[in-house]
Amino acid sequence: MPCNPEPPINLGLFADSELQQPPRIEVLGPQSRVLRGFARPWVERLLPSLDSVLAAAPFRHMLTPGGFSMSVALSSCGKLGWTTDRSGYRYSAIDPQSQQPWPAMPEVFRELAEAAAQAAGFNGFDPDSCLINCYRPGAKMSLHQDKNERDYSAPIVSLSLGLPAIFLFGGLQRRDPSQRVPLLHGDVVVWGGVDRLRYHGVLPLKDGNHAELGGQRINLTFRHAG
Ligand code: SIN
Ligand code: FE2
């Protein structure tokens, strides 16, 4: 896979510094929260499932509608996967690379996403799509809104794994100022309701080596898309 995990991503334990920090909730906006370390209890079960998903649907660099190759490598699981190519951004039930349905969403992914949504005040989250983003050093995600979903009533639940990144959380207009939010392994960001269409992005990833995931950051973004 182009965004290859080195060393293998299912190694297990947390760094001591991460264990010392109890989960805490930070307020980004009226209906947006950072749940610090929220995913720690799930990570050990989650990484082998992530390996299985990526074996069936490997990371690939997709083309934007403008014809540029995205610096972030993507995969998906669940009923619908987000894709982009020369004809636009969309959700598809079929992986365009394998021409097969995307791998099923592992139960542990769903459990984590529902629990995180609930902790941020969104009950009954029912994700049908998990976009998996892989950032190598230098990869970034420009400011954008998540707008390809059928409706915006469900929140976005976004899990960070591996190397730290700076997440930009802006306003409802592109020109609004952005908060710079450092995201670490195990952190979850949830935004929905009045904050559902806030602009967001990720600054270019800094070089580094994460104890479990090596030289990369993996982001899992759960949505109800269809
Ligand atoms: C996204 O907006 O799809 C990704 C956000 C992230 O990588 O934290
Ligand atoms: Fe996004």
Side-chain angles (χ1 to χ4, degrees):
M1 58 190 84
C3 203
N4 60 320
E6 295 164 7
I9 58 177
N10 52 356
L11 289 183
L13 299 173
F14 292 102
D16 288 348
S17 57
E18 288 171 333
L19 276 178
Q20 284 156 13
Q21 302 200 356
R24 50 178 207 283
I25 298 184
E26 291 171 16
V27 174
L28 292 181
Q31 291 188 279
S32 37
R33 302 285 183 271
V34 184
L35 312 175
R36 291 285 176 203
F38 186 87
R40 275 185 223 152
W42 278 273
V43 168
E44 224 174 306
R45 281 198 294 142
L46 198 139
L47 290 181
S49 296
L50 179 58
D51 269 346
S52 307
V53 166
L54 293 173
F59 283 126
R60 76 293 302 264
H61 291 271
M62 293 184 183
L63 283 185
T64 65
F68 296 101
S69 175
M70 289 183 69
S71 62
V72 175
L74 307 181
S75 182
S76 275
C77 64
K79 205 172 101 206
L80 295 169
W82 185 86
T83 66
T84 172
D85 60 19
R86 290 304 299 244
S87 52
Y89 304 126
R90 63 191 167 278
Y91 282 94
S92 165
I94 299 293
D95 173 350
Q97 190 162 283
S98 67
Q99 294 295 320
Q100 300 294 314
W102 294 100
M105 191 181 304
E107 201 45 46
V108 57
F109 283 29
R110 176 180 302 280
E111 270 176 35
L112 166 68
E114 286 177 16
Q118 185 152 19
F122 299 96
N123 290 335
F125 181 47
D126 179 22
D128 58 8
S129 176
C130 172
L131 174 64
I132 308 167
N133 294 309
C134 180
Y135 298 72
R136 304 293 280 192
K140 66 179 172 70
M141 181 88 62
S142 306
L143 270 187
H144 66 278
Q145 294 169 295
D146 286 4
K147 282 182 96 165
N148 300 125
E149 298 70 33
R150 188 191 293 272
D151 68 62
Y152 306 137
S153 53
I156 307 288
V157 173
S158 174
L159 163 66
S160 292
L161 296 170
L163 286 178
I166 304 290
F167 181 65
L168 299 175
F169 195 67
L172 293 172
Q173 308 292 327
R174 186 181 288 279
R175 63 174 181 273
D176 292 341
S178 293
Q179 304 174 60
R180 294 161 75 103
V181 185
L183 293 181
L184 304 178
H185 183 69
D187 290 347
V188 181
V189 186
V190 182
W191 64 97
V194 297
D195 290 331
R196 174 61 178 74
L197 289 175
R198 302 263 303 247
Y199 276 86
H200 58 281
V202 176
L203 290 182
L205 194 77
K206 290 230 166 76
D207 220 341
N209 183 50
H210 186 265
E212 289 168 77
L213 283 139
Q216 64 185 342
R217 168 178 187 258
I218 294 185
N219 167 258
L220 271 58
T221 305
F222 298 91
R223 306 186 177 99
H224 187 88

